[in-house]
Amino acid sequence: LITGWVQSFFYGITIRAGDPKPQPGTPRYLKHRRRIHIAVILVYLLYTIYEADYWVRQNGDFYQDLGLPIDVDEKKIKARFRRLAAIHHPDKANSLADHAEAEEYFVKLKSAQDTLTNPTKRFAYERFGPDILQWQHVSSIRDYLSVGFQGLIPLYGGSVAFMMLLSMIGYLQSGRYVYTLTRPYPPPVLSRILNPLLRTMTSHPPLLPFQLLVLAHKMTITFFIALSQLSPLFANSTPPNTSSASAGDEQRLARLENLAQANENEAARLLALEMAPFVGDEEGQKNLRGKVKEWLVQNTIRADPEVRDAMGRAIQRRRVGAPVGARYRGDS
């Protein structure tokens, strides 16, 4: 549907008024439709990635809540929390509504401080996100990894093909994906490439490992959806065999030609039948031709809307340029 709208808009701005547009089913129309469809899918893919990134930024993280970099130490975290707690403490609220809002924000700051000052929770938070706050009966890194992998197995089970692709290019060798989650520090692609680029070129906050995984998951799903839509457009790259279609067209044209010839013969026979009373009467035939000519002029040519408009404009110009008396004589 969107492809059809875009194609109509494309023809509207690229083809001048009065020029013929490619008709549906023609090779040029199909070529334009295929290219526009590819462009629409790619734009949707980019929009989905932007939407996922926007969602990550809107939700934020504990580092952004405290206004600290992701490599901050425990001492600075506690100092920052004490400063923010003194400013946003619920006891300083003026009204009941402000008190409820301040209390909610204070609890959020307290959760951020408690999580980031605990090395085990901080490790799990950076890899699995704020969901770890709801996990129970976990106390060690091993427990967090066990619960986290139990939630990721169904999620990434549908991405086996993508993981196989990564293995073909060498990323999964020696368990690199598992090592990305279990290593004690962020992956180099995040700390050395992506986050420095974000800091120097944009105002985008640095990404944590779990946020990178959220974006990667969204991109993977969108990639497979786009691939399922684009693959049929590239699968049949060879032009279809038109020999059978050409043979069918020739048969239909032959039938139309025979039908037109039969109609022409029948019209000639009917005309000869109507002219039978005037055979040998040249004067009668001459009068008949004159009457037929007059009838054609009066009922066919002059009845045409374009001819009537042209005649009206000609009469109007003649009336405008004529003297006053001539105008009235012409009108009468």
Side-chain angles (χ1 to χ4, degrees):
L1 182 61
I2 297 179
T3 302
W5 291 345
V6 174
Q7 189 168 7
S8 299
F9 178 76
F10 172 76
Y11 287 155
I13 63 176
T14 58
I15 298 179
R16 294 181 300 179
D19 292 346
K21 298 180 180 179
Q23 297 299 316
T26 59
R28 185 184 178 192
Y29 180 90
L30 296 177
K31 181 180 69 174
H32 290 166
R33 189 171 187 84
R34 182 172 63 253
R35 292 180 177 177
I36 294 174
H37 190 53
I38 293 173
V40 169
I41 294 174
L42 293 179
V43 170
Y44 173 75
L45 174 64
L46 295 177
Y47 170 76
T48 304
I49 297 173
Y50 169 79
E51 184 183 27
D53 178 70
Y54 178 79
W55 179 86
V56 168
R57 285 184 293 169
Q58 287 295 108
N59 284 272
D61 55 69
F62 287 163
Y63 293 99
Q64 296 181 41
D65 294 338
L66 296 175
L68 296 171
I70 59 177
D71 56 351
V72 66
D73 57 23
E74 181 179 346
K75 182 179 179 181
K76 292 182 179 179
I77 294 174
K78 292 181 178 180
R80 181 66 174 175
F81 171 73
R82 286 193 296 268
R83 188 178 301 111
L84 293 175
I87 299 174
H88 302 284
H89 198 278
D91 294 340
K92 296 185 177 182
N94 296 325
S95 62
L96 184 61
D98 294 339
H99 184 276
E101 184 178 354
E103 184 176 3
E104 181 181 357
Y105 186 67
F106 182 81
V107 170
K108 187 177 182 180
L109 294 177
K110 186 67 168 59
S111 299
Q113 189 257 355
D114 292 342
T115 301
L116 298 182
T117 54
N118 186 322
T120 302
K121 289 185 178 180
R122 183 174 181 177
F123 174 89
Y125 171 78
E126 290 181 349
R127 283 147 185 82
F128 300 107
D131 293 341
I132 66 162
L133 301 179
Q134 310 299 327
W135 296 352
Q136 299 179 357
H137 309 296
V138 287
S139 57
S140 64
I141 293 179
R142 188 185 189 91
D143 295 337
Y144 280 107
L145 289 176
S146 177
V147 176
F149 279 123
Q150 289 177 12
L152 290 177
I153 287 175
L155 180 63
Y156 289 95
S159 303
V160 175
F162 182 69
M163 307 301 283
M164 292 176 61
L165 177 62
L166 293 180
S167 66
M168 293 175 59
I169 62 177
Y171 186 77
L172 293 183
Q173 293 178 1
S174 303
R176 290 186 180 181
Y177 178 75
V178 177
Y179 187 51
T180 299
L181 289 177
T182 58
R183 68 172 65 189
Y185 49 86
V189 68
L190 191 62
S191 60
R192 299 179 184 177
I193 301 177
L194 190 56
N195 281 338
L197 288 175
L198 292 176
R199 281 194 296 266
T200 56
M201 302 181 62
T202 67
S203 59
H204 195 291
L207 294 173
L208 295 173
F210 85 89
Q211 294 173 327
L212 181 63
L213 291 177
V214 170
L215 291 176
H217 175 246
K218 188 70 173 180
M219 291 171 61
T220 301
I221 295 177
T222 308
F223 172 76
F224 281 117
I225 294 176
L227 188 64
S228 65
Q229 296 291 324
L230 291 174
S231 56
L233 301 178
F234 295 101
N236 298 325
S237 57
T238 57
N241 186 8
T242 59
S243 58
S244 58
S246 300
D249 292 340
E250 291 179 358
Q251 293 178 0
R252 286 190 289 271
L253 287 175
R255 287 197 296 268
L256 287 175
E257 185 178 359
N258 295 333
L259 182 61
Q261 186 65 36
N263 289 334
E264 185 178 356
N265 295 335
E266 181 67 15
R269 187 183 68 82
L270 292 176
L271 180 60
L273 184 63
E274 294 291 335
M275 293 291 292
F278 302 95
V279 175
D281 187 358
E282 295 183 359
E283 186 67 23
Q285 293 181 5
K286 184 178 179 180
N287 292 334
L288 179 62
R289 292 192 187 96
K291 294 295 183 181
V292 171
K293 182 179 179 181
E294 183 180 356
W295 181 87
L296 289 174
V297 171
Q298 295 292 338
N299 297 278
T300 303
I301 300 178
R302 291 186 178 179
D304 186 87
E306 295 183 359
V307 176
R308 294 177 62 182
D309 292 342
M311 292 177 62
R313 288 193 296 269
I315 295 174
Q316 184 66 26
R317 287 195 299 268
R318 187 180 64 182
R319 290 178 177 178
V320 170
V324 177
R327 295 181 195 173
Y328 287 111
R329 288 195 299 270
D331 292 342
S332 61

